[in-house]
Amino acid sequence: MSGNARWLLYLLRCADGSLYTGVTTDLERRLREHNSGRGSRYTAGRRPVWPIGSWRFADRASAQRAEARLRRLPRARKERLAMAGDPFEGADFAGPAGPRFCLRCGGRLETVLRPGYEHPVQLCPTCGRVHYRNAKPCAGALVVRAGHILLVRRAIEPYRGYWDIPGGFLEEGEQPQAGAVRELWEETGLEVRLGDLFGFYTDRYVYQGEQGVTLNIYFLAEVIGGEERAGDDAAELGWFGPDELPVRIAFDHARMVLTDWATRVRGEAG
Ligand SMILES: [Zn+2]
């Protein structure tokens, strides 16, 4: 397929584990629509969604024909096509691409569906290692003071200039609670005491063109010390009430967290 082929057939994984297919010329725009509830009725009730594969077609009609065929395949077959990065109906795979080679021995990975398992995995036929693709754990805190929540404006990509909930990737072996307290200190200069678990949210994280999945763990928290200062990754800090949350919020899941928080606060007030 030529480089100027503009129509993409895409495959999304929804929050309930089901798959959704569609065609578009602009996948990022469609993702924003799906994740804001305006994409389709099906995905609106199953957010967040994220792309697991796409294929590039020369025109809309051929993308739609391929979509009809993709829809009829069993779920595990669709997943396997995307994970392997295989062409489909004569069209090149357009990403997001996963790893192709074994991290241990450099062998070329195969995508297989093992009997009795629901999801395909990548397997190295040379050394026998199974390469699982999982979410990366992150932890953060909803620090609340006088009914206002603490947000940080990001100074780095992705989402530079957007407001975010303080938090970040856990170090290997670090407990989520310790990670949340550490991230708060690094990003805001504040010492916090964690309260109840607020919730778990998965999301997509695109870094230098590569897509990963994050599992974001949030705790409620209060300030017990320190002095407010924006850390290296943050441009500024701000406190926001439930009715004055910023429009430009980084990451789809953070928008969901803040909506859930605002709904909960209003419920407690009413
Ligand atoms: Zn290997």
Side-chain angles (χ1 to χ4, degrees), residues 210-227:
E210 258 186 59
Q211 170 175 274
V213 177
T214 54
L215 171 65
N216 301 272
I217 305 166
Y218 287 103
F219 300 92
L220 291 168
E222 58 174 340
V223 178
I224 54 167
E227 248 174 67

Side-chain angles (χ1 to χ4, degrees), residues 102-107 109 124-129 131:
C102 178
L103 281 172
R104 187 157 71 184
C105 78
L109 299 178
C124 175
T126 311
C127 74
R129 179 172 175 161
H131 292 257

